[in-house]
Amino acid sequence: MTLRVVVVDDEQLPRQRVSDLVRAHPVLELIGQAEHGAAALDVIVEYRPDLVFLDIQMPELDGFQVVSALDDDVLPAVVFVTAFDDYAIRAFEVDAVDYLLKPVTDDRFAAAVARVLGRIEHRDSSLANPIRTLATRANEERAAPTTRFVARRGAKHYFVRVADVDWIEAVGNYVRLQTGDKSHLIRETMKGAEAKLNPADFVRIHRSLLVAVERIQSIEAREHGEYLVTMQGGAKFVSSRGYSDRVRALLR
């Protein structure tokens, strides 16, 4: 068995160290490297590696956000790499997701690869589950609201600023971000999207709809506790009764 590998780290020396270890390992083949999270998404989608050594703390888009932005069909096995993130280490131990501490030693690297090989050889379908769970939890527990989302067009990933979003709508296993006359699909749930936003900036008026408060033009009360919400661009939405208290709070 040969595993095709991508190495992601924003620092050149740690990235080179892990890449050298990959090249020296008899069952690993280095097929790509990335210097930041957005580049990592493009490389992973294009080359579909079996395994990614993924740095956690990177500017703009960190390792958790990279995992969260990937579709299930392209999510590879992941070994996280970290310098000092104690929270991440404890979480990995609980969820049985492997990690490497910098500086990466030969023995620890070999043990991580052996663990991944064992799970792949046994066709462990749960391999991605703790990775996805951990990344989602870490994103939801962030203290500061996100300022942008990661969207994908073909094999390329790009950023959508939260400040440009008019509303967010559920579409199956995705959500659609509406920015003016453009829309962007991202792999996210409504609950996950809402957790990343500042509640003062967005209000959920329906189980499948979040609207930007500053983009609301008018709110009109209707029967049965519903409200007609008209956006500045002319779009109209009817709130559901289950979320009417959130709309009423805007009127106080």
Side-chain angles (χ1 to χ4, degrees):
M1 176 186 294
T2 298
L3 297 185
R4 301 164 68 250
V5 177
V6 164
V7 176
V8 181
D9 200 308
D10 65 313
E11 298 181 70
Q12 192 274 331
L13 289 179
R15 186 173 67 251
Q16 187 61 50
R17 168 61 176 165
V18 175
S19 296
D20 289 344
L21 289 168
V22 170
R23 293 189 183 97
H25 198 286
V27 301
L28 302 182
E29 176 189 0
L30 183 66
I31 62 170
Q33 300 181 50
E35 300 178 1
H36 52 79
L41 291 173
D42 292 343
V43 171
I44 292 169
V45 170
E46 181 176 358
Y47 293 109
R48 305 293 179 99
D50 303 303
L51 171 62
V52 174
F53 289 93
L54 182 59
D55 187 21
I56 295 174
Q57 294 172 314
M58 296 182 289
E60 297 186 343
L61 200 68
D62 65 26
F64 295 128
Q65 292 170 315
V66 169
V67 170
S68 295
L70 288 168
D71 291 337
D72 288 336
D73 63 336
V74 297
L75 180 62
V78 175
V79 173
F80 286 104
V81 183
T82 179
F84 48 81
D85 196 329
D86 292 336
Y87 163 76
I89 294 172
R90 291 195 301 270
F92 298 152
E93 291 171 344
V94 169
D95 288 278
V97 177
D98 215 342
Y99 66 93
L100 293 173
L101 272 177
K102 299 178 184 178
V104 179
T105 65
D106 293 19
D107 290 346
R108 188 65 187 87
F109 179 85
V113 173
R115 184 173 187 177
V116 172
L117 282 170
R119 299 184 72 169
I120 290 178
E121 287 173 352
H122 288 89
R123 291 186 172 89
D124 188 347
S125 60
S126 67
L127 185 61
N129 293 340
I131 299 171
R132 177 78 74 192
T133 299
L134 175 57
T136 300
R137 183 194 310 153
N139 283 327
E140 291 179 350
E141 290 180 355
R142 292 178 187 279
T146 189
T147 58
R148 59 187 181 179
F149 289 100
V150 180
R152 173 182 166 189
R153 184 178 294 114
K156 289 294 182 181
H157 292 79
Y158 60 97
F159 296 113
V160 179
R161 295 197 318 152
V162 169
D164 295 332
V165 175
D166 299 323
W167 68 81
I168 301 173
E169 186 176 8
V171 183
N173 294 324
Y174 293 77
V175 296
R176 178 187 292 117
L177 311 178
Q178 192 69 34
T179 58
D181 59 355
K182 297 181 179 178
S183 61
H184 317 267
L185 275 180
I186 65 170
R187 188 191 183 284
E188 184 62 272
T189 63
M190 286 297 291
K191 180 180 178 181
E194 185 177 20
K196 294 177 181 178
L197 298 168
N198 187 337
D201 296 333
F202 283 82
V203 59
R204 193 166 181 178
I205 67 170
H206 191 279
R207 64 181 179 84
S208 61
L209 190 67
L210 282 155
V211 299
V213 174
E214 292 299 318
R215 302 293 205 283
I216 297 175
Q217 178 174 295
S218 64
I219 299 174
E220 178 185 345
R222 301 183 67 176
E223 295 180 347
H224 312 300
E226 298 175 342
Y227 290 88
L228 176 64
V229 179
T230 302
M231 308 300 289
Q232 292 174 357
K236 297 178 183 293
F237 304 110
V238 177
S239 68
S240 64
R241 285 189 295 174
Y243 293 88
S244 60
D245 58 334
R246 304 190 188 191
V247 180
R248 278 196 299 272
L250 298 175
L251 304 176
R252 294 170 187 160

